[in-house]
Amino acid sequence: DCRFDSYRGHMELTTPIEQLRGIGPTYQKRLRKLGIKKIQDLLFHFPHRYEDFSNIIPIANAKTNENCCLQGKILEIKNSRTWKRKMFLTQAVVGDKTGAIKVVWFNQPYLTNILKPKDNICLVGKAVFKKNGLYISNPVYEKLGHAMSSGTSHVQLTHTGRIVPIYPETERLSSRWLRSVIRSLLAQFTNRVGEPLPEKIIREHQLLPRQKAIWQIHFPDSLALAKK
């Protein structure tokens, strides 16, 4: 999450990211390594895949070796370290009214600063069965909270019940952080993106208008629209 105020002066698509309050020097450096130097570069930094948070099943219905989407409350969460492989494990137990299941993340110890007991979360991941029982391995998660304005306010993005974009997470830029940044900028700058194609071509080939296409590639209403 970040705090934005992109109205410091007159902002355009070509405005350097350094002028966006909420993106400090550390993140500016990481973005530049990806070739992201201007506002328009962020709008055209597209997801490489999506997770479907729209088909939530009861925890009791999770099956071995199948991907699933679960929603529940964190009953416990802690970090440990495997000395053999020198790997951090974040282990949690998440429950709903049908039961509880273990959740394991690898080498993400910072998660205990974000996720706390009694938090409600939504998980998408593969159910794996080992000697200690069934658990969800390294899932994508969304912490559930009250959706807030995606403008200049501090935002807690809640995507439950929809398709969630996953960005290439290079240079220590998480999808969660990028979603927050890009959604805020889309709300402010999409109407400034020009349409390069004649209306006749758009109609003939059943294409999405460019402004709609940019919204749908980042926050699609369906996988079909994301593909389109």
Side-chain angles (χ1 to χ4, degrees):
D1 298 332
C2 24
R3 188 178 296 274
F4 282 104
D5 181 6
S6 51
Y7 290 110
R8 291 195 317 171
H10 185 64
M11 293 283 180
E12 299 288 349
L13 292 173
T14 54
T15 297
I17 57 173
E18 288 83 356
Q19 294 187 36
L20 289 171
R21 193 177 75 183
I23 302 182
T26 299
Y27 279 97
Q28 291 169 21
K29 184 177 180 181
R30 294 173 185 175
L31 288 167
R32 284 196 296 269
K33 285 185 177 180
L34 295 178
I36 298 173
K37 301 176 182 179
K38 304 173 184 177
I39 289 175
Q40 66 185 12
D41 297 332
L42 273 167
L43 297 186
F44 285 86
H45 182 65
F46 298 141
H48 70 138
R49 64 184 177 88
Y50 302 90
E51 292 289 356
D52 188 354
F53 277 73
S54 63
N55 186 26
I56 299 170
I57 66 170
I59 287 175
N61 291 357
K63 297 180 180 179
T64 304
N65 294 327
E66 289 188 6
N67 286 322
C68 56
C69 179
L70 309 174
Q71 183 175 317
K73 180 179 292 185
I74 297 176
L75 305 179
E76 59 181 78
I77 185 168
K78 63 181 180 180
N79 286 326
S80 61
R81 189 166 185 174
T82 60
W83 294 106
K84 189 174 182 180
R85 296 186 180 180
K86 296 183 179 180
M87 179 187 297
F88 282 102
L89 296 179
T90 302
Q91 301 180 72
V93 177
V94 174
D96 66 8
K97 62 182 181 181
T98 70
I101 194 167
K102 294 179 181 178
V103 184
V104 178
W105 288 276
F106 303 97
N107 282 328
Q108 299 180 65
Y110 60 86
L111 288 177
T112 54
N113 295 324
I114 301 170
L115 302 175
K116 303 293 184 182
K118 298 184 179 181
D119 282 348
N120 289 303
I121 63 170
C122 196
L123 304 166
V124 172
K126 190 174 185 178
V128 178
F129 189 85
K130 297 289 185 181
K131 62 181 180 180
N132 292 327
L134 191 69
Y135 68 93
I136 305 298
S137 177
N138 222 38
V140 176
Y141 73 91
E142 285 296 317
K143 183 177 178 180
L144 306 185
H146 296 292
M148 298 176 66
S149 167
S150 58
T152 59
S153 301
H154 185 71
V155 295
Q156 166 68 55
L157 293 181
T158 300
H159 297 279
T160 306
R162 64 171 301 159
I163 309 301
V164 176
I166 306 297
Y167 297 88
E169 299 195 3
T170 55
E171 302 298 337
R172 292 176 293 170
L173 294 169
S174 71
S175 285
R176 176 177 297 273
W177 186 86
L178 285 165
R179 286 196 297 267
S180 179
V181 173
I182 292 171
R183 190 178 182 92
S184 177
L185 294 177
L186 281 173
Q188 299 173 43
F189 293 99
T190 304
N191 61 356
R192 304 189 194 185
V193 175
E195 178 58 70
L197 297 177
E199 187 176 343
K200 180 181 178 181
I201 298 295
I202 293 174
R203 287 199 310 268
E204 285 181 0
H205 296 274
Q206 298 182 341
L207 303 175
L208 293 179
R210 198 181 200 196
Q211 291 182 6
K212 183 175 181 179
I214 289 175
W215 264 106
Q216 290 297 323
I217 199 169
H218 286 292
F219 300 102
D221 294 320
S222 68
L223 289 175
L225 275 170
K227 184 176 181 181
K228 189 173 181 65

